[in-house]
């Protein structure tokens, strides 16, 4: 992403934040963002200067080969305004990055008082989060760390590299809503999405930040029926509608909400099915809203009178 564009997106977020009188956070991810260290330092500093409540980076920790270098790097970024460091630690990353480097980055971040997020992507045959934490030993003592074990999903290179029997499929259908609410993820080419967990499907695209103001992208994120249905009801909301087609989606066999969401939105009949489902979702949302606005009894009387009028018409 060109540096001037990244600065511009942060400026626009700050303006939205000021207008709404609500805080905003900025996170830099990749790829490996520390490969562009000088630019990253400028961006972290700029985000903090513009009032970001938290500024985070996700990294594999390759730059922390020894403690002297790890501490120096963390000091530089902490002075610039970094508040959270996310670290990847799993078998996939450790194919290229020694775990010792990740542990050095963890120790340096802990000493500096940064918020630490440890993420571990897993399959049925890989080391699990408990194994990774055990390998960290006493480093996690008296340290507040957010940990996340992420089941690998069959997307991209994983479809070729992970054998079928190793996916961690859930035994029951996940019915909760998507927890992603206020995120706007902007890719290097400017394409913007409401999350970063579904492979950036065109059906979810909010627009392009090179052509559309960030404020308008945020508005899209909060008003589109498809996104609100996924957040309120979860992607499982759409399954009964697919059941009426010749190619229904299975009710089980999903690894995560993101995996289920991807299957729903990339189904060959998605366009037609989503249209019908969202029509019902809008009607249900309006019904709920009206029921909350009217006094008890008035809403049901209004419904009955509306049905009678419909029959008469």
């Amino acid at each position: 992403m060109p540096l001037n564009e990244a600065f511009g997106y942060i400026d626009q977020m700050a303006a939205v934040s000021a207008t709404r009188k609500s805080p905003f956070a900025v996170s830099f991810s990749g790829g490996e963002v520390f490969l562009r260290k000088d630019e990253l330092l400028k961006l972290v500093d700029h985000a903090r200067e513009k009032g970001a409540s938290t500024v985070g980076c996700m990294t594999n920790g390759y730059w922390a080969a020894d403690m002297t270098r790890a501490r120096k790097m963390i000091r530089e970024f902490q002075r610039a305004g970094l508040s959270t460091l996310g670290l990847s630690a799993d078998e996939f990353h450790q194919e290229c990055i020694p775990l010792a480097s990740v542990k050095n980055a963890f120790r340096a971040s802990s000493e500096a008082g940064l918020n630490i997020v440890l993420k571990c992507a897993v399959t049925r045959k890989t080391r699990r989060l408990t194994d990774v934490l055990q390998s960290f030993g006493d480093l996690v003592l008296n340290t507040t760390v957010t940990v996340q074990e992420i089941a690998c999903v069959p997307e991209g290179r994983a479809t070729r590299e992970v054998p079928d029997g190793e996916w961690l499929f859930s035994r029951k259908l996940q019915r909760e809503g998507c927890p992603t609410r206020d995120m706007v993820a902007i890719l290097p080419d400017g394409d913007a999405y409401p999350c970063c967990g579904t492979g950036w499907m065109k059906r979810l695209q909010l627009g392009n930040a090179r052509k559309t103001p960030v404020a308008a992208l945020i508005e899209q994120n909060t008003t589109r029926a498809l996104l609100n249905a996924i957040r309120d009801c979860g992607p499982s909301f759409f399954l009964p509608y697919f059941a009426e087609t010749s190619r229904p989606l299975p009710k089980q066999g999903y690894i995560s909400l993101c995996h289920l969401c991807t299957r729903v939105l990339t189904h060959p009949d998605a366009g037609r099915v989503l249209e019908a489902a969202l029509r019902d979702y809008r009607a249900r949302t309006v019904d709920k809203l009206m029921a909350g606005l009217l006094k008890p009894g008035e809403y049901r009387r209004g419904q009955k009178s509306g049905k009678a009028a419909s029959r008469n018409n």
Side-chain angles (χ1 to χ4, degrees), residues 92 95 121-126 151-169 255:
F92 301 104
E95 287 179 8
V122 299
T123 70
R124 195 172 297 281
K125 294 289 183 70
T126 64
C152 190
V153 296
E155 299 291 339
R157 188 165 69 97
T159 58
R160 303 185 302 272
E161 304 266 344
V162 179
D164 285 342
E166 295 186 15
W167 304 112
L168 285 163
F169 287 104
I255 293 168

Side-chain angles (χ1 to χ4, degrees), residues 254-271:
Y254 298 101
I255 293 168
S256 62
L257 278 179
C258 293
H259 183 221
L260 173 56
C261 190
T262 300
R263 291 294 173 262
V264 165
L265 298 181
T266 58
H267 190 280
D269 298 326

Side-chain angles (χ1 to χ4, degrees), residues 180 183-187 189-196 198-207 217 221 227 231:
T180 303
M183 177 186 291
V184 174
I186 303 176
L187 274 58
D189 62 1
D191 283 349
Y193 296 86
C195 64
C196 57
T198 55
W200 300 309
M201 292 171 289
K202 289 297 180 183
R203 200 177 294 280
L204 290 182
Q205 187 174 345
L206 302 173
L217 298 175
N221 194 19
L227 301 180
R231 290 166 186 147

